[in-house]
Amino acid sequence: MTIRPATAQDIPAITAIYNEVVANSNAVWTEKQDSEADRLAWMQARQALGYPVLVAVDDTTVLGYGTFGDFRAWPGYRYSVEHSVYIGKDYRGRGLGRLIVEELVTAATALGKHVLIAGIDGSNEASLRLHAQMGFVEVARMPEIGRKFGRWLDLVFMQRMLDAPGAARAD
Ligand SMILES: CC(C)(COP(=O)(O)OP(=O)(O)OC[C@H]1O[C@@H](n2cnc3c(N)ncnc32)[C@H](O)[C@@H]1OP(=O)(O)O)[C@@H](O)C(=O)NCCC(=O)NCCS
């Protein structure tokens, strides 16, 4: 298994993983299935900003992927990024989610980011536990701010500092 930057050839697998998560969970708050063209445009937009889209691959099979992007658009948020991680349904529980998030931590640190943020559905025990184990701390829990499959959804924000609190930056 290796983790490497995603390419256009990975888009069919990334799209399939994403659409399965959309269809069967509250991890992404949409019920809309994406086309491969949608996902390609999304990936290229991320990469154009200098942000990574990483895939975990076994030979030629894409097992999962992860990425991060700006937390919010205002310039004052430029040292904070929000990540996401998706493992194919047949490959969960094998440590891949943890490995991808570790790579995202390394990449965000290398870009000089200060805080990495996870926005997690309040019922997503696997993701909440994964992030807690990796040093992310719950900083906000927002009841019923989302809706999917006819139910209200809670959002939990967890964050991990990537360097020391108060660390200097040459603004
Ligand atoms: C959440 C997700 C990324 C976790 O990735 P994974 O590869 O399955 O998880 P790992 O094998 O790396 O497990 C790491 C830790 O996560 C937690 N975890 C993983 N699966 C779990 C589950 N089913 N129930 C509870 N905790 C779980 C555990 O703390 C685990 O550590 P442990 O094995 O020492 O107990 C994966 O299940 C997934 O892609 N789910 C669908 C999409 C999603 O929810 N993405 C996250 C959006 S915020």
Side-chain angles (χ1 to χ4, degrees):
M1 198 281 301
T2 53
I3 296 178
R4 59 160 173 77
T7 70
Q9 282 69 44
D10 301 317
I11 285 297
I14 287 174
T15 306
I17 292 169
Y18 173 83
N19 282 334
E20 190 279 331
V21 170
V22 167
N24 297 311
S25 80
N26 288 332
V28 190
W29 289 0
T30 179
E31 296 176 39
K32 176 188 164 293
Q33 297 279 295
D34 265 9
S35 66
E36 290 179 10
D38 292 331
R39 284 286 103 190
L40 180 63
W42 162 86
M43 183 178 80
Q44 290 173 338
R46 276 287 156 92
Q47 292 171 337
L49 291 169
Y51 289 143
V53 179
L54 303 176
V55 283
V57 292
D58 206 353
D59 295 327
T60 55
T61 305
V62 175
L63 310 173
Y65 69 96
T67 183
F68 57 75
D70 293 323
F71 174 59
R72 298 186 77 180
W74 295 102
Y77 291 103
R78 65 191 175 281
Y79 293 115
S80 301
V81 283
E82 180 173 359
H83 70 285
S84 51
V85 55
Y86 305 93
I87 307 301
K89 69 175 170 46
D90 297 331
Y91 309 112
R92 292 174 193 155
R94 300 184 186 182
L96 294 173
R98 185 198 311 270
L99 286 174
I100 289 177
V101 176
E102 278 170 3
E103 289 294 324
L104 294 174
V105 166
T106 300
T109 306
L111 286 171
K113 301 300 178 184
H114 188 49
V115 178
L116 186 59
I117 297 161
I120 305 173
D121 175 78
S123 68
N124 191 343
E125 284 303 323
S127 187
L128 292 169
R129 283 189 54 185
L130 164 72
H131 286 94
Q133 274 192 355
M134 297 191 66
F136 287 76
V137 175
E138 180 176 326
V139 289
R141 186 173 283 257
M142 305 168 80
E144 299 196 356
I145 65 162
R147 197 160 173 91
K148 184 175 178 182
F149 300 143
R151 296 181 58 183
W152 294 112
L153 305 174
D154 300 345
L155 181 65
V156 177
F157 277 122
M158 300 182 78
Q159 75 175 54
R160 174 168 154 173
M161 306 301 293
L162 298 172
D163 55 2
R169 288 290 184 283
D171 281 336

